[in-house]
Amino acid sequence: MGQLRGSSDVPTTVRVTAIASLTPLEELEADPFLVDSRSQHAMCARWAAERGYVIARELLVGGLRFDHGALWDGVRPGVDVFVAPSMRVLRRALSSVEAFTAECARRGVRVETVGRAEPSYDAQMKARVHRRLSMPTAGYDGR
C-alpha cells in the first residue's frame, strides 16, 4: 500500500499535495474550519498516513485557477494525488473545482477528499486559531 510499480518495476511512493483554503480571519466566527488551515492540513496528513502515502506539498490557496503553475509544479501522472478535507474546502481554494478535476483527469492525477467530519469549534479553539493567525510574526505557534 502506498507504493506503485514504476516502468522499471521499482516501487514509487505516492506523493500527496494537500490543499487547504486560504480564508480571511474575519470569517473565523462564521466558519472556523475554513479559516483553520492547520487543521485542514492535519486532516489531509492523517488521511495520507493511513494509506502509506507521503505529503509532498501543502498548498494554502484561495480561488486559485485550475491551470496555475503552483498546482502542477512537479506533479507526476499516476503517482501524485491531490487531497482536500472536503469539497467545501476545494470550492473555496480553487476558482473552479469542475475545471480542476477535469484537468486532473486529463493529466492522470487523482483528486480525493478526506470525507471526515469537520471538528466542532468552541470559543477556546477559535481563540487559538485567532492568536495563531493574527500573531505569526511574533513567534506564536498556536499552542
Side-chain angles (χ1 to χ4, degrees), residues 15-89:
R15 300 179 321 165
V16 175
T17 296
I19 299 175
S21 67
L22 179 60
T23 302
L25 184 56
E26 292 78 29
E27 294 186 35
L28 179 63
E29 196 58 42
D31 205 336
F33 184 67
L34 282 183
V35 175
D36 188 4
S37 58
R38 182 181 281 178
S39 289
Q40 293 175 46
H41 278 141
M43 188 180 281
C44 293
R46 281 190 300 277
W47 177 91
E50 289 168 358
R51 288 156 179 77
Y53 299 167
V54 174
I55 296 287
R57 299 183 305 150
E58 291 183 336
L59 299 178
L60 177 59
V61 295
L64 191 67
R65 288 182 44 90
F66 76 93
D67 58 353
H68 194 284
L71 284 170
W72 303 104
D73 186 34
V75 172
R76 298 177 299 178
V79 176
D80 290 345
V81 177
F82 287 104
V83 67
S86 64
M87 288 302 292
R88 197 167 87 79
V89 169

Side-chain angles (χ1 to χ4, degrees), residues 2-14 76 79:
Q3 295 190 343
L4 303 171
R5 295 286 173 188
S7 59
S8 62
D9 234 11
V10 175
T12 304
T13 301
V14 175
R76 298 177 299 178
V79 176

Side-chain angles (χ1 to χ4, degrees), residues 38 124-143:
R38 182 181 281 178
Q124 186 178 26
M125 289 172 66
K126 289 179 188 177
R128 279 196 302 269
V129 172
H130 186 275
R131 278 192 304 272
R132 180 171 35 87
L133 295 176
S134 64
M135 300 189 306
T137 60
Y140 182 72
D141 69 359
R143 293 191 182 118

